[in-house]
Amino acid sequence: MPRFSRLCVTCSGENKAERNRNTKIFFKGAYVKYPFENGLAELPAEDRFYCINEYIKTLIALEKGGELQPPENFREWILYTFGTGIADLYMIPYNEKIWNYPAEKMSLHWVDGRIPPRPPVEDIIKSAIGIETEGYTHQSVFTYPVTGGIEALVRAIAAPVEDTIRCNFSVSSIEKTEDGFLISNGTETITADRCISTIPPQELLPCLLDVPLEIREAVAALCYNSLFSVCLGVSHPVNDYSWLYVPPQKELGMFNRISFPSNYSDAVAPAGHSSVLAEITFNEGDAVSRMTDDEIISHTVEGLTKMDILGSPEDVVYAAVKRQEYAYVVYDLAYRENIGIVLSYLKDVGIEPLGRFGEFEYLNMDGCIRRVLDFLDLNNPA
Ligand SMILES: Cc1cc2nc3c(=O)[nH]c(=O)nc-3n(C[C@H](O)[C@H](O)[C@H](O)COP(=O)(O)OP(=O)(O)OC[C@H]3O[C@@H](n4cnc5c(N)ncnc54)[C@H](O)[C@@H]3O)c2cc1C
């Protein structure tokens, strides 16, 4: 078992439930298998034809050589990998919805390992005529804490060193000294040998003195998305999906992904009830950023009712909205240059960044924990 999985299994003890992934894409009123290219049989006939025809035309162009230029941005990569049909119907509109950013202005350095790659042509043909194919199998089984939600995993990892952790200390200044750092929240100052930071650079740099203009400009140019998490309690069991992807559809909501935590563990909702989480990406200044929590809840409930996930708005017995400023790192075309400038500055100052927003990388939890394990290896060689 890989080291990361071993750590999670050991820390979670008995508090874990295993589930098969059952994810779908809600497309033109149908629940299409994920990834989209493995669910072509569920599309209307015209769309199915468009996807296979364009996919095969792309393969022929690739075989001939010279007709297709290697992609230079995310939009070109999607077209080059899946053909115009899959790109037009799903990949480009969905990605532009979740990233809230034009695909042609995004870099493509990150797609390897994060987006299912080009499937073999046999799989596309099988998928289109209704023979089952599986894409992205490495995510097909997952574990989740029985109680406490995903936070239970972090708490279990932290438990052995809990006494050394200080919470509710909002860092407002960091000063480098001869032999370490002075870290303050404005009223209290901590002396530290080292400073390992998970704070987003946008929040970290204002804590430092005399940051050169070039560095401040590089940080200001880094792109990220904020997120509304709309959390609903429902008075009845819902479907058996793990989560759903929702590409843009005029009559539906702004949410791009809907998860069903009560399908991950029976203990996270009262018996006979279920929980639903809808995610809406935004940036400060977008029209949605000015909506009130009540408006966002109504909007979401209306969309979920249209999708028949809710029988009616009255099925909702609990509703809350969480606004999270730092949710997704966005890889624009200048990302690598800007993050390079920022990380090299932090290195000069002696601050060691770690984690999703610390390193400003699109890392999931497993990626963050792996980075920590690598960091420990580097710092404590055997
Ligand atoms: C809606 C959503 C859904 C997600 N779903 C999944 C999923 O299904 N699977 C998955 O693997 N990952 C998922 N992720 C990603 C996952 O949550 C992150 O990868 C992970 O939490 C990053 O861990 P981290 O420790 O690097 O950063 P964080 O968890 O962001 O921790 C950084 C900490 O720094 C603190 N901080 C910031 N500024 C200061 C300051 N000035 N002083 C003191 N503290 C400060 C913050 O409060 C925060 O607690 C999701 C993320 C979001 C937003």
Side-chain angles (χ1 to χ4, degrees):
M1 186 188 288
R3 195 157 61 137
F4 160 74
S5 311
R6 216 167 49 234
L7 173 78
C8 295
V9 167
T10 312
C11 290
S12 303
E14 296 298 306
N15 187 22
K16 58 179 183 294
E18 197 169 272
R19 292 287 189 270
N20 291 326
R21 184 192 73 197
N22 180 13
T23 45
K24 300 279 179 191
I25 297 156
F26 190 76
F27 180 79
K28 296 191 178 174
Y31 287 95
V32 173
K33 184 171 181 170
Y34 172 86
F36 191 75
E37 55 276 19
N38 291 84
L40 299 181
E42 288 144 317
L43 305 187
E46 280 299 315
D47 290 342
R48 205 180 323 149
F49 169 74
Y50 184 35
C51 291
I52 329 172
N53 193 36
E54 294 298 327
Y55 186 84
I56 291 173
K57 274 160 62 181
T58 305
L59 285 190
I60 294 171
L62 277 170
E63 281 287 315
K64 281 192 191 162
E67 282 187 16
L68 281 183
Q69 295 307 311
E72 290 188 356
N73 59 51
F74 185 38
R75 182 190 173 84
E76 288 177 5
W77 179 86
I78 293 173
L79 289 161
Y80 182 87
T81 307
F82 299 101
T84 312
I86 294 173
D88 250 10
L89 292 178
Y90 171 65
M91 284 295 284
I92 293 176
Y94 179 71
N95 275 288
E96 292 195 333
K97 186 180 188 188
I98 187 167
W99 293 110
N100 199 22
Y101 208 77
E104 67 272 17
K105 292 191 175 167
M106 286 180 72
S107 138
L108 52 80
H109 72 276
W110 57 279
V111 294
D112 204 13
R114 300 306 301 254
I115 299 189
R118 177 189 288 127
V121 66
E122 295 81 3
D123 280 13
I124 288 284
I125 296 170
K126 279 184 180 168
S127 149
I129 61 175
I131 300 175
E132 284 288 306
T133 53
E134 292 301 329
Y136 224 36
T137 46
H138 82 267
Q139 271 188 357
S140 54
V141 178
F142 64 96
T143 53
Y144 193 79
V146 176
T147 58
I150 199 63
E151 185 180 337
L153 175 65
V154 181
R155 288 196 177 277
I157 293 172
V161 289
E162 211 166 348
D163 292 350
T164 63
I165 300 175
R166 174 79 188 269
C167 291
N168 300 316
F169 189 98
S170 183
V171 175
S172 57
S173 77
I174 301 173
E175 196 186 319
K176 179 101 179 77
T177 60
E178 288 274 289
D179 48 3
F181 292 88
L182 296 175
I183 301 175
S184 170
N185 64 0
T187 51
E188 189 187 344
T189 300
I190 292 174
T191 310
D193 299 337
R194 290 172 69 175
C195 178
I196 300 161
S197 169
T198 62
I199 302 178
Q202 292 82 351
E203 304 293 323
L204 177 65
L205 261 71
C207 299
L208 304 172
L209 282 176
D210 304 326
V211 178
L213 179 64
E214 183 211 5
I215 312 301
R216 283 184 277 132
E217 284 177 347
V219 170
L222 292 173
C223 300
Y224 63 94
N225 279 328
S226 306
L227 193 85
F228 288 114
S229 297
V230 187
C231 314
L232 303 176
V234 179
S235 62
H236 54 78
V238 282
N239 48 56
D240 60 356
Y241 300 133
S242 311
W243 60 90
L244 299 172
Y245 299 96
V246 188
Q249 285 152 87
K250 242 193 260 136
E251 66 285 6
L252 282 185
M254 295 178 290
F255 43 76
N256 54 61
R257 188 167 62 169
I258 305 165
S259 328
F260 303 93
S262 49
N263 290 343
Y264 310 166
S265 157
D266 299 334
V268 300
H273 291 64
S274 50
S275 56
V276 179
L277 165 68
E279 295 168 42
I280 301 172
T281 328
F282 72 97
N283 283 102
E284 211 43 60
D286 291 353
V288 59
S289 72
R290 292 188 289 272
M291 286 170 74
T292 64
D293 288 1
D294 284 346
E295 286 168 338
I296 286 171
I297 290 168
S298 302
H299 171 87
T300 303
V301 168
E302 196 182 312
L304 295 176
T305 309
K306 283 185 184 150
M307 289 171 73
D308 284 335
I309 290 172
L310 301 174
S312 83
E314 283 69 50
D315 296 353
V316 175
V317 293
Y318 172 85
V321 175
K322 176 144 175 58
R323 291 169 191 247
Q324 193 164 356
E325 180 171 3
Y326 298 98
Y328 285 96
V329 169
V330 177
Y331 290 135
D332 68 312
L333 294 173
Y335 165 82
R336 285 201 281 185
E337 186 186 341
N338 288 320
I339 195 64
I341 294 171
V342 175
L343 292 181
S344 111
Y345 174 73
L346 291 179
K347 192 171 177 198
D348 290 346
V349 178
I351 293 177
E352 301 164 273
L354 206 51
R356 180 163 164 128
F357 275 95
E359 296 175 77
F360 212 79
E361 253 188 70
Y362 177 29
L363 298 171
N364 276 345
M365 282 178 304
D366 56 333
C368 293
I369 294 172
R370 283 195 188 92
R371 286 288 167 91
V372 172
L373 294 173
D374 292 346
F375 182 91
L376 292 173
D377 282 349
L378 265 180
N379 285 276
N380 305 296

